[in-house]
Each structure stands twice: as structure tokens, then as C-alpha cells.
Amino acid sequence: MSLLLSVSQIRGPILTQLRSSTSIFTRKMSSIEQFKQSPHKLLVIPGPIEVSDEVLFANAHPSMSHVSPDFIPVLGDCIRMTRTVVDTAKGQPFLIAGSGTLGWDQIAANLVEPGENALVLHSGYFGDSFAECLETYGANVDQLKAEIGAAVSQEAIAEALGKKKYKLLTFTHVDTSTAVLSDAKAIVETVRRVSPETLVALDGVCSVASEEIHMDQWDVDVIITASQKGLGTPPGLSILVASVRAMQVFSSRKSRPTSYYGSWKKWLPVMQAYESGKPSYFATPPVNLIYAFHASLSKITKSSPSLAERYELHRDASRKVKAAAQELGLKQLPLDPAFAANGMTALWYPDGLSAGDILPRLVKKGIVVAGGLHVDVKDKYFRIGHMGITAVEKSRGDVDAVVKALGETLAEAAAEKLKQANLRFGPLKDNGLMMKARL
């Protein structure tokens, strides 16, 4: 008997084995009930956030054409459910592959023409960034800057609008760098009273689905956000909703949009086609991410808890984290509780401790938080995210785990500092931080 086997003789059994393995894998992965994400550290930064098994399972959808009859209604549903999340009946959503930052580019390229004036309300790092983006597209930009930890006052807004005509006013609803929550309803009311023709753009990257928003009732012109925060989806989707007024301003532009990829002239027909159940093409949408987004939106808008209940659950989680921090002797970066976000908390490091004392210890306990971001104080504080399933699904125990780990970390860090001081200077007394951390 010859010891040489033909290629077909070898390939046949191998392919049979591969097909068998693939079918087993398919069977194992065919049901969400059988899918569980692997153990990992708890991600409680202010985005990206923890994502549910259902959403990750949807993200693992087999690769599919973006013009497939199966995919078209998925994107169409996402457009409709996005309206529900921001509470608008007639706003026009744009769901485009990209970071939340792409929302700035869309606003600057489609609603402001070169040489027109824009007013940016600054409550942290992202005010500077939005201003820079607008300037890149040719806008004349003024900023109203609040002190660190505060939001711009209504009096300052009214005064600025009374002195100069602005095409656009922008504000960051929750600035991720400071955890400052601006009063969206009051801001729009001030603009409509003093300068009713000025468009109002709400940067909701860190607020949509975790802070209460009513686009139509508050008369907001544009809301931008992203998939990876309160909307509970992996990063990669830029989400924008424009009001009827904003779309009319866009349609009456004297010059062409100053972006190619971000031009609504390109994307509006695509969004309208998919919502009406027809395929269209300008650039390939992130198909798998849209499936994941659909799974998350369905949970948010079509099941229990309701949107109103979700907002209250975020407030509950926020109160719990902030109360625990206060018990531990930690102070918030927001100067007033009225300015404090519900989806995240920013805390100053206690005296004598720094990022190196806190963050690595939390990681060892399986908790991932974020350091500071505001350029003026970035080494002096840290940030905890508590949005999405971390806040809404109490049975997960995420907030309890964070509070417990934070207390243990502060006690350990303070004990280590005291030990080092004793070795260097002789016995010293506990400064009280250890006792607070044990509470």
C-alpha cells in the first residue's frame, strides 16, 4: 500500500472536521441564552461603559450586506428609536460611523457658514474642543467660560446674546471632564427670550439616555451623542438629531457644506431611504454596530424600565456614589449639587494622596475608573462612570462593588502613607482618613 495520500484524500476528512466544528460553534452561539461575556474588570469610566450580553451578542451578528433586505429595517428601526430616546416627533436623526466628535463636525459643516458667529458655553475640556472645531470650519467663535466645577449662568448667556448676533449657541450638557451638568431647559429658554433666531446645539455625548432630555418640549435644535456611553453600545457610532428648524437652516445655506464625509446633502437621502424601507448608499454603515445599537435601543425604548424610570435609576446610582464619597471625606469637583451629573461623579483626591495611590489599587480590585481630564487640574481628581446597565440593573451590584472598593482603597492608601511617614519621622497619628475609609 502506498504511503502517499492525494490532496483530495487529505482535504476531505479535514473539511468534514471543520464543518463539524463550525456547526458546533454555531449551535453554541445561536442563542443569547447561551452567550455570556468572559470575566473582566468592571469598567466604570464615563464611557465606554459596560455593555450587556444581549448587545455584545448582537454585535457578533454574521457579516451582512448594508443593502440586505434583512438589514434595512434594522437601521430604519434605529432611526425611529433614536427619536424616542431624545423625545422628538419630527427631529431628523443621522447615524454615521465615527466618534461622537463627528457630531461637532456635522454641526460646524452644515449649520454654520464661514464668517458666521458661534457662542460656546464652556463648562470643561469639551467646550474648548467644540470651539476649535467650529473655528476649523471658519466660524467666528466666542466662549463664555465658567469657573472649574460650575456651569455658565443664565445672566451671562443673556448678556452675551444681547451684545452680538449669533448663528449658533452650543453647550455641553454633561462635560465628561468635570461632571458638570448644565441646565439645558433653562439655556434654551434664555436663548429663545433674547435671541430667538439663534440655533441651540446640545452636546449630549455624556448625557443622552442617562440625563433627562426632551428635545421638542425644550425646543433644542441639535443633539449630538455617541454609542458608547448612556446608550450602552460599543464605540464607533456618531448619533445626531436635528430639529425641523435646523434642517430648514441647512436647506437655506448660501454655500455648500464644508465637509464631504459629514455633509447632510450626502447623508440625508440615506437616512430617509432606510427609514422608508429602501436601501441607499453614500458610505458603508457599521452594520454589526447597528445591530448592537438596535439591541440596546430596543431595551431602552421598548421594555421595562421605561425611559422615565431609567432616569430615576441613574439619579439613584448617582446619589449612592456621591453619598459614599462624602462619607469617605471626598469632595466633588462640581461646586454645587445642582451642577452634578447623574451618570458620572468627579472627585478630588484627598490630601496627601494622588492617582498613583488610588487608581492602581482599584484596578487590582477589578475596578477601572478614569483619571482627570481637565487640563488645569487633571492630576488632582478622578472620575467614576455610573450609567447604562451599571445604574439600571441593580442586580449586577456594580455600584456596590465600586463603593466597597473605593473605601478599601482609601484605607489601604492612607495606611501605606502613614507607614512610610512613621518610618521616616517616627510614630504619627492617623489623620482621620483611615477611619473614614473604614466606614
Side-chain angles (χ1 to χ4, degrees):
M1 179 186 297
S2 173
L3 296 179
L4 297 177
L5 298 174
S6 69
V7 172
S8 61
Q9 287 176 302
I10 297 173
R11 185 176 60 186
I14 291 176
L15 287 176
T16 300
Q17 184 176 0
L18 284 174
R19 290 191 186 101
S20 175
S21 299
T22 302
S23 64
I24 292 171
F25 175 78
T26 302
R27 287 198 299 272
K28 286 182 178 178
M29 295 294 291
S30 63
S31 169
I32 179 57
E33 288 77 16
Q34 297 172 325
F35 174 79
K36 298 294 178 186
Q37 54 191 293
S38 59
H40 59 279
K41 294 179 176 64
L42 178 61
L43 185 62
V44 282
I45 65 175
I49 67 168
E50 285 287 319
V51 175
S52 71
D53 290 337
E54 293 87 349
V55 171
L56 281 185
F57 184 77
N59 201 52
H61 193 282
S63 187
M64 177 171 288
S65 167
H66 53 287
V67 295
S68 164
D70 292 330
F71 174 70
I72 293 168
V74 176
L75 180 49
D77 282 346
C78 286
I79 292 169
R80 286 181 283 272
M81 288 188 287
T82 297
R83 285 196 187 94
T84 301
V85 171
V86 298
D87 195 14
T88 180
K90 297 182 179 179
Q92 176 59 57
F94 293 87
L95 311 181
I96 305 175
S99 158
T101 303
L102 179 59
W104 296 341
D105 289 78
Q106 289 184 69
I107 290 171
N110 293 287
L111 294 178
V112 183
E113 300 191 53
E116 292 183 327
N117 299 325
L119 180 63
V120 174
L121 308 187
H122 183 293
S123 56
Y125 174 92
F126 292 95
D128 285 329
S129 301
F130 204 159
E132 183 180 0
C133 179
L134 288 162
E135 289 171 342
T136 299
Y137 286 88
N140 298 322
V141 180
D142 295 321
Q143 288 197 61
L144 288 179
K145 291 195 175 186
E147 63 178 312
I148 296 174
V152 177
S153 71
Q154 302 308 311
E155 293 76 17
I157 297 170
E159 182 180 356
L161 293 174
K163 291 180 178 179
K164 192 172 183 178
K165 181 179 177 62
Y166 289 100
K167 176 72 168 295
L168 173 75
L169 177 144
T170 77
F171 68 97
T172 311
H173 196 198
V174 171
D175 196 297
T176 317
S177 73
T178 58
V180 168
L181 170 67
S182 292
D183 188 338
K185 183 173 182 289
I187 289 171
V188 182
E189 287 174 349
T190 299
V191 174
R192 297 292 172 245
R193 174 171 54 84
V194 180
S195 181
E197 72 281 1
T198 298
L199 296 174
V200 180
L202 182 157
D203 181 340
V205 169
C206 197
S207 69
V208 169
S210 60
E211 303 287 351
E212 195 161 348
I213 294 176
H214 302 288
M215 184 175 187
D216 287 354
Q217 182 182 335
W218 294 351
D219 200 20
V220 181
D221 290 302
V222 188
I223 295 174
I224 65 170
T225 189
S227 54
Q228 75 273 15
K229 302 200 183 220
L231 290 166
T233 308
L237 194 61
S238 174
I239 301 150
L240 181 150
V241 185
S243 69
V244 172
R245 181 192 294 113
M247 295 308 299
Q248 289 171 342
V249 169
F250 164 70
S251 298
S252 62
R253 286 180 65 93
K254 297 182 179 66
S255 59
R256 62 190 296 180
T258 48
S259 169
Y260 179 72
Y261 180 69
S263 172
W264 291 349
K265 285 187 179 296
K266 302 291 187 181
W267 285 112
L268 181 59
V270 175
M271 296 298 112
Q272 291 173 332
Y274 275 90
E275 188 171 9
S276 67
K278 301 174 184 176
S280 183
Y281 177 75
F282 164 56
T284 305
V287 174
N288 286 60
L289 190 57
I290 294 292
Y291 272 102
F293 189 45
H294 186 277
S296 187
L297 285 176
S298 297
K299 187 75 172 177
I300 292 171
T301 65
K302 296 182 178 180
S303 67
S304 179
S306 67
L307 263 173
E309 291 167 340
R310 292 178 71 89
Y311 295 141
E312 186 55 39
L313 287 166
H314 279 84
R315 288 189 282 266
D316 286 344
S318 178
R319 285 189 288 263
K320 187 167 188 175
V321 172
K322 290 170 172 62
Q326 185 175 14
E327 284 291 315
L328 293 168
L330 301 177
K331 295 181 179 179
Q332 292 186 60
L333 190 146
L335 300 174
D336 187 315
F339 299 142
N342 293 295
M344 65 173 293
T345 299
L347 300 167
W348 298 107
Y349 293 118
D351 291 342
L353 299 180
S354 64
D357 301 308
I358 303 297
L359 304 190
R361 282 187 168 89
L362 285 171
V363 170
K364 287 181 180 179
K365 297 178 186 299
I367 306 294
V368 180
V369 301
L373 182 59
H374 194 293
V375 63
D376 294 335
V377 292
K378 65 179 182 178
D379 297 324
K380 298 180 180 180
Y381 74 106
F382 64 105
R383 297 169 296 147
I384 302 170
H386 34 81
M387 61 187 90
I389 58 175
T390 287
V392 173
E393 297 183 11
K394 291 187 176 183
S395 61
R396 289 172 53 92
D398 290 359
V399 172
D400 291 333
V402 171
V403 168
K404 180 175 183 291
L406 184 58
E408 292 173 351
T409 292
L410 289 173
E412 292 167 8
E416 179 64 24
K417 289 294 183 182
L418 186 61
K419 179 180 177 182
Q420 293 173 0
N422 285 337
L423 290 173
R424 185 174 181 183
F425 301 110
L428 297 174
K429 293 182 178 180
D430 187 336
N431 65 0
L433 180 59
M434 289 173 59
M435 182 60 67
K436 287 178 180 177
R438 294 190 190 107
L439 295 176

